[in-house]
Amino acid sequence: DSGVTQTPKHLITATGQRVTLRCSPRSGDLSVYWYQQSLDQGLQFLIQYYNGEERAKGNILERFSAQQFPDLHSELNLSSLELGDSALYFCASSVGTGVEGEQYFGPGTRLTVT
Amino acid sequence: AQTVTQSQPEMSVQEAETVTLSCTYDTSESDYYLFWYKQPPSRQMILVIRQEAYKQQNATENRFSVNFQKAAKSFSLKISDSQLGDAAMYFCAYYNTDKLIFGTGTRLQVFP
């Protein structure tokens, strides 16, 4: 158990809908990262937050947004969902800004868009 | 842009034997970190081992060790005394300033 929690574990929704994925980092970790794992794109970095502020952005679509709250939990919002958004979404956390790269992953949320 | 390549989509090993998974990467940076992550059927991403680029000594974690060749930009993972529980997808990852860049993974099968 990495200490990172993600809810829900599974999510099934229809195209055009909006969902919110939630992540709680390990105790003491200030950085939260979101990754998407899909069959065709592999594991891709979406976005990083550090202590409430956006720190780095990867291949995140405009339909997706995220935020980190004062209690350091983070939410990833996915809107206008398409079939291609079906994937496993991971949250990871690290102690600092992640300068040494060591990130601990949550169990993931499996999103199925029908 | 940095890239990570794992050229072996699948590998297999007999229990108790040794197997090596390959990884190459491309970067123009001199300071960075390299990782191997394991993803078992549960889909959990588990950190196996980490290597700092400025360290010449290869990292070791119990039965897992790496062969880090900085000039060749190669970072292979050796699993000794393979166990059935080692069966999983293994991802090589590169980290420099803000994100992990993953390879496409190698599926390792372990036969009794």
Side-chain angles (χ1 to χ4, degrees), chain B residues 71-97:
Chain B
K73 295 179 184 174
S74 169
F75 182 61
S76 61
L77 175 70
K78 185 171 87 171
I79 306 174
S80 304
D81 186 25
S82 297
Q83 301 175 358
L84 295 176
D86 295 333
M89 279 290 285
Y90 285 83
F91 291 94
C92 176
Y94 166 99
Y95 182 90
N96 174 230
T97 53

Side-chain angles (χ1 to χ4, degrees), chain A residues 35 37 45 55-56 90 98-103 105-107 110, chain B residues 33 35 37 39 43-45 47 50 91 95 97-100 102:
Chain A
Y35 292 85
Q37 185 177 30
F45 168 72
R55 188 170 184 274
F90 284 107
V99 66
E100 293 189 338
E102 198 154 319
Q103 299 176 18
F105 283 73
R110 178 168 293 285
Chain B
Y33 299 83
F35 301 86
Y37 278 88
Q39 188 177 40
R43 296 296 203 164
Q44 176 79 48
M45 293 290 288
L47 178 63
R50 157 190 157 162
F91 291 94
Y95 182 90
T97 53
D98 52 19
K99 61 183 178 289
L100 284 167
F102 289 91

